């Protein structure tokens, strides 16, 4: 007699609707990290670019296409990094909220450098390490004409700007968890600030030592932390350099004497030889943080690990 009464009482209770966490698809590891930070314990984003692959030449597999078609929110850098992805998002994720971070208002953009040897254009950075006015029209204009360096995530300033924008996009898809998303974004901002402070301390002793790049992927990092970079073998899109570019960098290395060359796992040793830098100390970096623990901790770790490796190489 007791059980039916209890069952009837349970059935009489109002049904509580649980909030459905949106399915989020991202493009690269650092963006996945920022989204994972904002999602927190509520969910896990999906990433389209597999570890070790180049975002400059990304092609979607069928399983990745399905992930896009099932997405509620897509967070990606933007067409300057993966121009082919825009068409896929339009075709497969037309009903999803799309947040192209590089196109978000206030994002600090730098024009791509098209020469092997860089002019020293950066002024002394202020004591906070900002190094520029975020309202600089030359860098922030989204005029559709300038070709922007797509490695925008390597500016901690940009990442800090994006966290609340990601929280807003998730909250629009899932209003019931808006407060959690906002709180997680604030915690992520504090984590990035802590990594920046530690990175700045590590880089302080080598800040003015000349550096050379194998791939011009670190312009945002270079500017934010006030580093001195002579030039790069390949451009921001990782295109194979021509003879003129190699000759310019070779002359620059001879005249200015780099303390270290920053390479990547895909760097062709023959290109290092071509600029006569084979005897130069080198360190391998990865702008995507492929070898770091993936997930929410990746982004702050990427900022600090990059600083630590540069400081160790340039310090020698």
């Amino acid at each position: 007699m007791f059980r039916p009464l209890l069952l009837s009482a349970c059935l009489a209770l109002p049904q509580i609707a649980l909030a459905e966490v949106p399915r989020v698809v991202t493009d690269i590891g650092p963006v996945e990290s920022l989204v994972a930070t904002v999602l927190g314990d509520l969910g896990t984003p999906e990433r389209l670019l597999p570890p070790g692959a180049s975002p400059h030449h990304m092609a979607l597999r069928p399983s990745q296409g399905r992930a896009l078609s099932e997405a509620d929110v897509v967070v990606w850098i933007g067409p300057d990094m993966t121009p082919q992805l825009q068409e896929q998002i339009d075709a497969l994720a037309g009903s999803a909220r799309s947040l192209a971070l590089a196109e978000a208002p206030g994002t600090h953009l730098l024009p791509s450098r098209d020469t092997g040897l860089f002019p020293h254009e950066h002024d002394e950075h202020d004591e906070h390490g900002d190094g520029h006015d975020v309202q600089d029209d030359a860098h922030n204009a989204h005029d559709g004409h300038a070709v922007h360096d797509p490695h925008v995530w390597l500016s901690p300033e940009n990442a800090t700007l994006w966290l609340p924008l990601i929280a807003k996009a998730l909250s629009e898809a899932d209003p019931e968890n808006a407060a959690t998303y906002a709180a997680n974004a604030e915690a992520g901002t504090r984590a990035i600030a802590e990594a920046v402070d530690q990175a700045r301390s590590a880089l302080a002793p080598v800040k003015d030592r000349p550096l050379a790049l194998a791939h011009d992927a670190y312009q945002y990092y270079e500017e934010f932390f006030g580093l001195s970079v002579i030039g790069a073998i390949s451009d921001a899109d990782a295109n194979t350099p021509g003879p003129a570019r190699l000759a310019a960098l070779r002359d620059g290395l001879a005249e200015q004497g780099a303390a270290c060359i920053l390479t990547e796992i895909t760097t062709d040793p023959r290109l290092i030889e071509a600029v006569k830098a084979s005897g130069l100390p080198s360190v391998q970096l990865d702008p995507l943080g492929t070898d770091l623990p993936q997930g929410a901790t990746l982004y702050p770790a990427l900022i600090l690990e990059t600083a630590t490796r540069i400081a160790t190489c340039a310090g020698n």
Side-chain angles (χ1 to χ4, degrees):
M1 296 292 293
F2 178 71
R3 290 182 178 176
L5 289 175
L6 179 60
L7 179 59
S8 298
C10 290
L11 292 175
L13 291 175
Q15 298 298 305
I16 300 175
L18 298 177
E20 185 173 346
V21 175
R23 184 170 185 176
V24 189
V25 172
T26 63
D27 53 352
I28 60 176
V31 173
E32 178 191 38
S33 175
L34 297 175
V35 174
T37 295
V38 178
L39 279 171
D41 295 333
L42 293 176
T44 302
E46 297 180 59
R47 184 176 71 198
L48 295 177
L49 188 72
S54 170
H56 298 294
H57 311 289
M58 185 167 66
L60 294 185
R61 299 191 301 268
S63 60
Q64 295 168 320
R66 287 194 297 273
L68 269 179
S69 67
E70 297 170 357
D72 300 305
V73 180
V74 179
V75 184
W76 60 309
I77 290 297
D80 280 350
M81 172 58 72
T82 50
Q84 69 276 25
L85 188 55
Q86 180 70 73
E87 182 179 346
Q88 299 291 340
I89 291 173
D90 293 341
L92 300 174
S95 61
R97 290 171 173 81
S98 176
L99 176 58
L101 297 172
E103 297 180 349
T107 295
H108 181 59
L109 297 176
L110 293 170
S112 289
R113 300 184 283 203
D114 58 4
T115 58
L117 192 64
F118 303 151
H120 290 271
E121 299 173 341
H122 304 319
D123 295 329
E124 286 294 321
H125 287 33
D126 62 29
E127 63 181 356
H128 300 293
D130 297 328
H132 60 269
D133 181 353
V134 296
Q135 299 302 321
D136 186 336
D137 291 338
H139 288 168
N140 288 285
H142 291 72
D143 57 13
H145 300 291
V147 177
H148 299 118
D149 184 332
H151 303 88
V152 284
W153 68 89
L154 286 175
S155 166
E157 176 189 23
N158 282 340
T160 300
L161 169 76
W162 296 335
L163 283 171
L165 300 181
I166 294 170
K168 182 176 183 291
L170 297 182
S171 297
E172 290 172 350
D174 176 20
E176 292 184 41
N177 285 312
T180 299
Y181 297 138
N184 290 344
E186 291 178 3
T189 297
R190 293 192 295 271
I192 292 174
E194 181 178 351
V196 165
D197 288 343
Q198 294 178 31
R200 189 173 289 126
S201 296
L203 290 168
V206 300
K207 190 174 179 181
D208 297 324
R209 303 206 68 185
L211 305 172
L213 304 172
H215 171 208
D216 191 13
Y218 298 92
Q219 184 178 189
Y220 292 94
Y221 195 93
E222 162 196 338
E223 187 195 61
F224 185 87
F225 288 105
L227 303 177
S228 177
V229 177
I230 295 174
I233 294 175
S234 65
D235 62 15
D237 290 329
N239 293 313
T240 301
R245 186 182 185 97
L246 292 173
L249 186 57
R250 182 173 60 247
D251 292 344
L253 288 174
E255 293 171 5
Q256 301 181 47
C260 175
I261 184 165
L262 312 180
T263 69
E264 298 179 13
I265 193 171
T266 56
T267 299
D268 186 341
R270 292 172 297 180
L271 294 177
I272 304 296
E273 288 284 351
V275 296
K276 296 184 178 178
S278 58
L280 188 65
S282 66
V283 64
Q284 191 175 100
L285 303 180
D286 180 4
L288 298 175
T290 303
D291 293 335
L292 296 172
Q294 304 296 294
T297 63
L298 182 145
Y299 188 82
L302 174 62
I303 295 303
L304 181 54
E305 179 70 9
T306 300
T308 301
R309 293 191 180 192
I310 292 174
T312 299
C313 183
N316 291 330

